[in-house]
Each structure stands twice: as C-alpha cells, then as structure tokens.
Amino acid sequence: MQVRRGNNREGARTLWVLLGLLLIFGVPAFGQAPVPPAPASRPPTATPTTFAGVQLEGRTLFEVAATEGVTAAERAERIERRLQNLVQREAPVRPFGRDDIRRSADGDWQIFLGGELIMEVTPEDAQDVLATPEELALLWGQELAGAVAEARTTRENPLQGIGILIRNSVRDLVVSTVTWLPRLASALILAVIFWLLAKLAAWVVCVVANRTRLDPNLRQLARAVAFYGLWAVGAVAILATFGFETGGIVAALGISGFILGFAFKDILSHFLAGLMLLLGRQFRIGDQIVVKDQEGTVERIELRALHLRTYDNRLVIIPNAEVFNSIITSNTASPYRRREFVVGIGFEDDIGRALQVALEAVRGTPGVMTEPEPDVLVDELAPSTVNLRVRFFMNSLRADYLKVGSECMRRVKEAFDREGISMPTEIFTLVFDNAAEAADEVKGVLAGGPSRRNAHRGGPADEAAGPDPSIQEDPTDRRRAA
C-alpha cells in the first residue's frame, strides 16, 4: 500500500509539473488566433486578414479587420483617436440614428457621430461576424454612440461615471460567463469522463497484472502509466474545449520535454534508472540487499529513489541512478544461504572424532537444512591448533542467518566440552638471554613499567632486529614467565 501511494504521489507531481510547463510555454502559442483563408473573390494582392480591438476608456467595443495597405492595429488606432477627440469636444453629440450611416463611393459603409466621420465598415469586417456591412455599420454605430455618451458622462460627473463603470463591468462579466458556460460545462463533462476512463484503465491493468502474476513494482508502474496517461489525454481534450489548438498543445509538449531534458537531467536519470530497475526485476520489495556500504530490506521502489530499511531500523534513501550503477548483493535472491565458522582443536585430539562430533551437533540444530547437507572439513594446521571449518545452509533471511549460526556455534562448543575435545588458545614462547635481567624485566612489567626487551612469537629472539612495536605482551604470559 505504501508503494502505491508513493508512486501515485510521484506520478501526480510529475504530471502537474508537465502541465505547468505546458501552460507556461504553450499559452503564447495557444493565444494566437488562426488566420482565416482569404475569400476566393479577393485579389491576390490583398492583405491577410487580422484583427485588432477598438477601445475607449479601457473598454473594448469590437474588433476591426485589416484592409489592403492598412493593418488592423493602424485602423483601430485611427478610430480610437477620432473617438477621443469627439469625447473631449464641448458641443453636444446628437443621438445616433439610421441616417448616420452612409455608403461611400467604393461601396463601404461609413459611420458618422455628431456629423464627423468615425470609421468605415469593410466587407472583411462583415465577413468575420457573418453579417452584411450595412447591418454591421448600424450595430457598431450604436456601440460607438453609447460608448461616447458614457465617456462624456464619466468626465462630467465622476460619481455617475463610477456607476457606469460598475454597470459595464458587471455586464461584461455576465456576458463572458454566459459565453464560457457551454465550454466550462463541456470541460467538466470531459473531466468526469476521463476520470472514469482512467479509473477503469487502472482497474483493468490491475486485473491483468494479477492474472499474469506480474511483479508488484511493475504492476504499480503499469497502473500509474495507464491512469495518468489517460489523464494527460484528457487534459489535452479539455484545453481544446476552451479553444486551444491541438497542434499548439503538442508543440508546447515538445518544447516542455526539451526544456525538461536539460533542466531536470539528474531527475530524469533517476527516473529512467527506476524504470530499468523495475523492468529488470533484480530485486523486489522485501528482499535483503547490499548497495555500496548500505545493507537492509527493500521497503519501497519509487521512480526516483530506493528506500532501504537497515537492520537497526534506519531508513536509507538511495537515488536510483546510484543503485543502477552500483554492485548489488542480494542476500535473499536464493531461498537458502550458507554460513561457516572456524573452530580450533588441539594437536593431541582425535581429528576424526572431532569432525564427527561437530557434524552431529550442527545437524541437530533447528533451522539447519538437510539438503544441501552440512559438512565439517580440516581447514588449516595452525601453530597451536588444528582448525576445522564448519559449513551449513539455512534460510537466507538475516534473522535466521544470525540465530541459526549462533546456535550452531553454541552446540559445537558444548559437544566438544562433553567429549573432552580441547579448544586451546594460541601459545606464546618468551625466550630470555639473561635470567637475572629477565626477572627484573618481568617485575618491572608487572609493576606497570615499560618493557625494554624484545619478545618474539613462536621462535628465538633476534637482538639485531630491535623491539617490534606490533607485538603486545599478555599479562598471563608475564605471570608465567615470572
């Protein structure tokens, strides 16, 4: 359960980061309106149709199109300048009527306010709103007359102007809300649909993984990919519902991925290493492994790091890239594991009997496996002892490795004591070239003073070599020499 939560949280963070970068780098591309194709009747030299908003006192009234030789921004700026001059004029402006629109010689419809020409309505303007130039001129004339009247009232009476601004703001908010309600409803419906599809996909993946007995780590990875993959597709569909272009979204994803590759190089390396660890299945949750100088039980495998619980209950978090590039020792890759220890007997003891006693003691220890069966071998003829190497197999878990090994050593020791088989310690021989000086030396050593003579282990003294600082005298040997 902890693994699933960790993977889900990490997958959710990764998804939100991608969506954030998508919005950051994709909004400029999304905000560009598509350029509509030119009408078939337009001359080949016509200027491409773009649009610019006409504003008065910070409020956008409508958008005008570009004409041949004049950009939309230039048209909008010219209209705004005429409107500002009309607002600042002292003479009253009569109400707008049907007579204030006239047709020019070139076929365009002109809008007059207060007897002054404000603008011309072109076929490109009418084509954008699917209306005739005459209908559009009448509609825009009313918009312009109302905006000029409100601007004049605001300048003359600030308190009344505040009320007008509040009314316009509320009206624009209501219009925007009503306009966006269908898109918002569609986005919410799509979000519910893709949430259900993502849950269904995750459930199907879990069912298939359980039937195929897939590794738990791979099962969680497949579930996360299915769930968040469908959510990513749903996010693109929801953004398209709000008017964003799918091509722009894909382009933004590409830019985001390119930037992520440089900005989060280390994180991506850990992520890919985590995928390789999960797919390679070198170890599983619950396995006891050794990574570098850390040893413990695998508690969690995330897409970024490995959680290792040491035997003294400390949590070690190792980045996946370091785990992937390190030598890993798995103590539980096999169900059983061999352990051995060395025990020394005296040269005067019966070696065959000692081998048999040690083997029987190990065989009778609970936890020792009968297949492969244990064995006891003569390992070394040391200066003071004959060393026997005891080998046996047990469960590969750390707890059994310690407990069964300790029990085997205890039983071998007790069996040797019962059979009278000695386990002598190492013997040290001290050779003195002068008995009187030796006695004084030993007395000084026992009294706590430093030793001036050279003691050699297992051979005669070599006076020319000088004292060996690596040899330490044992108090027991001092008493024997005394």
Side-chain angles (χ1 to χ4, degrees):
M1 185 64 67
Q2 293 177 349
V3 177
R4 183 182 65 194
R5 291 175 181 171
N7 288 338
N8 288 344
R9 286 197 299 268
E10 189 161 338
R13 288 194 296 267
T14 304
L15 179 62
W16 282 115
V17 169
L18 289 175
L19 289 177
L21 290 174
L22 172 65
L23 292 176
I24 292 174
F25 297 101
V27 164
F30 299 154
Q32 296 177 359
V35 179
S41 60
R42 178 175 297 176
T45 59
T47 305
T49 303
T50 55
F51 300 89
V54 176
Q55 296 184 352
L56 182 61
E57 301 293 336
R59 175 188 169 194
T60 301
L61 305 178
F62 47 80
E63 291 183 345
V64 294
T67 59
E68 185 176 357
V70 181
T71 64
E74 292 174 347
R75 282 192 64 197
E77 183 180 358
R78 184 183 306 170
I79 297 170
E80 291 172 359
R81 187 166 53 250
R82 293 176 180 178
L83 291 175
Q84 288 293 341
N85 293 332
L86 189 61
V87 170
Q88 295 174 1
R89 189 184 283 182
E90 296 293 338
V93 178
R94 64 184 179 86
F96 179 80
R98 181 68 176 78
D99 298 335
D100 291 322
I101 60 171
R102 306 167 191 172
R103 191 161 190 173
S104 63
D106 55 2
D108 295 336
W109 285 86
Q110 300 174 336
I111 301 177
F112 292 85
L113 289 180
E116 299 292 338
L117 176 63
I118 302 299
M119 63 172 295
E120 293 182 352
V121 179
T122 64
E124 288 81 3
D125 298 328
Q127 182 182 6
D128 181 56
V129 297
L130 301 179
T132 63
E134 183 180 3
E135 294 173 348
L136 187 59
L138 186 60
L139 177 63
W140 281 3
Q142 295 173 354
E143 288 283 343
L144 293 174
V148 169
E150 291 178 356
R152 283 192 163 195
T153 302
T154 301
R155 289 175 179 270
E156 295 172 359
N157 189 347
L159 294 179
Q160 188 176 357
I162 293 175
I164 294 174
L165 292 176
I166 294 176
R167 183 193 65 190
N168 291 338
S169 300
V170 172
R171 182 184 62 184
D172 294 341
L173 178 61
V174 172
V175 171
S176 300
T177 304
V178 172
T179 303
W180 278 89
L181 274 179
R183 295 187 178 186
L184 182 60
S186 301
L188 291 176
I189 293 173
L190 282 177
V192 173
I193 292 175
F194 277 97
W195 180 78
L196 294 175
L197 289 177
K199 296 290 286 185
L200 178 62
W203 177 79
V204 171
V205 168
C206 287
V207 171
V208 174
N210 291 333
R211 290 183 179 179
T212 56
R213 296 181 179 179
L214 196 65
D215 182 84
N217 301 317
L218 291 178
R219 187 185 311 163
Q220 296 301 328
L221 175 63
R223 182 180 181 277
V225 169
F227 185 82
Y228 293 109
L230 272 176
W231 259 120
V233 175
V236 173
I238 292 172
L239 290 175
T241 303
F242 284 109
F244 300 137
E245 294 183 4
T246 307
I249 296 175
V250 174
L253 284 175
I255 296 174
S256 302
F258 184 77
I259 295 176
L260 279 174
F262 284 96
F264 302 102
K265 180 180 63 176
D266 295 336
I267 296 178
L268 287 178
S269 66
H270 297 324
F271 177 80
L272 295 177
L275 289 179
M276 296 300 295
L277 290 175
L278 292 173
L279 295 175
R281 303 175 65 178
Q282 289 91 348
F283 49 84
R284 303 179 180 180
I285 297 174
D287 286 355
Q288 296 177 349
I289 63 173
V290 181
V291 181
K292 292 186 176 180
D293 56 346
Q294 302 293 335
E295 181 177 359
T297 304
V298 178
E299 190 174 82
R300 183 186 303 171
I301 303 176
E302 293 183 347
L303 295 178
R304 190 194 66 85
L306 169 71
H307 291 207
L308 194 69
R309 180 72 63 175
T310 61
Y311 301 127
D312 55 355
N313 202 31
R314 293 181 300 166
L315 179 63
V316 180
I317 301 176
I318 309 174
N320 287 331
E322 296 186 11
V323 178
F324 187 75
N325 295 323
S326 300
I327 298 176
I328 302 175
T329 302
S330 179
N331 295 329
T332 55
S334 176
Y336 53 87
R337 180 180 177 187
R338 189 182 74 180
R339 183 169 183 180
E340 57 186 41
F341 62 89
V342 176
V343 59
I345 63 174
F347 278 93
E348 68 278 3
D349 294 316
D350 186 352
I351 296 178
R353 180 59 181 165
L355 293 174
Q356 186 64 28
V357 170
L359 184 59
E360 291 177 355
V362 171
R363 282 177 176 172
T365 303
V368 174
M369 301 180 62
T370 58
E371 186 63 33
E373 62 181 12
D375 57 8
V376 183
L377 306 174
V378 177
D379 184 66
E380 182 186 10
L381 296 178
S384 304
T385 59
V386 177
N387 292 336
L388 307 181
R389 184 173 296 274
V390 183
R391 306 188 304 177
F392 51 93
F393 287 85
M394 73 200 76
N395 193 302
S396 59
L397 294 177
R398 173 76 175 182
D400 293 342
Y401 183 82
L402 295 177
K403 292 179 181 179
V404 176
S406 174
E407 184 64 16
C408 286
M409 287 185 278
R410 185 183 69 82
R411 292 191 176 222
V412 169
K413 168 66 171 59
E414 292 177 352
F416 279 4
D417 291 342
R418 288 194 303 268
E419 297 295 330
I421 300 174
S422 63
M423 290 182 290
T425 58
E426 294 185 70
I427 299 175
F428 295 90
T429 303
L430 301 178
V431 179
F432 302 96
D433 55 357
N434 190 310
E437 290 185 9
D440 295 338
E441 178 76 12
V442 171
K443 290 180 181 179
V445 171
L446 294 177
S451 175
R452 299 189 305 269
R453 306 217 26 112
N454 180 31
H456 291 272
R457 173 182 173 185
D462 187 0
E463 297 178 357
D468 187 358
S470 63
I471 298 179
Q472 298 180 355
E473 297 183 3
D474 186 78
T476 305
D477 297 329
R478 294 174 187 168
R479 288 193 294 270
R480 291 178 182 175

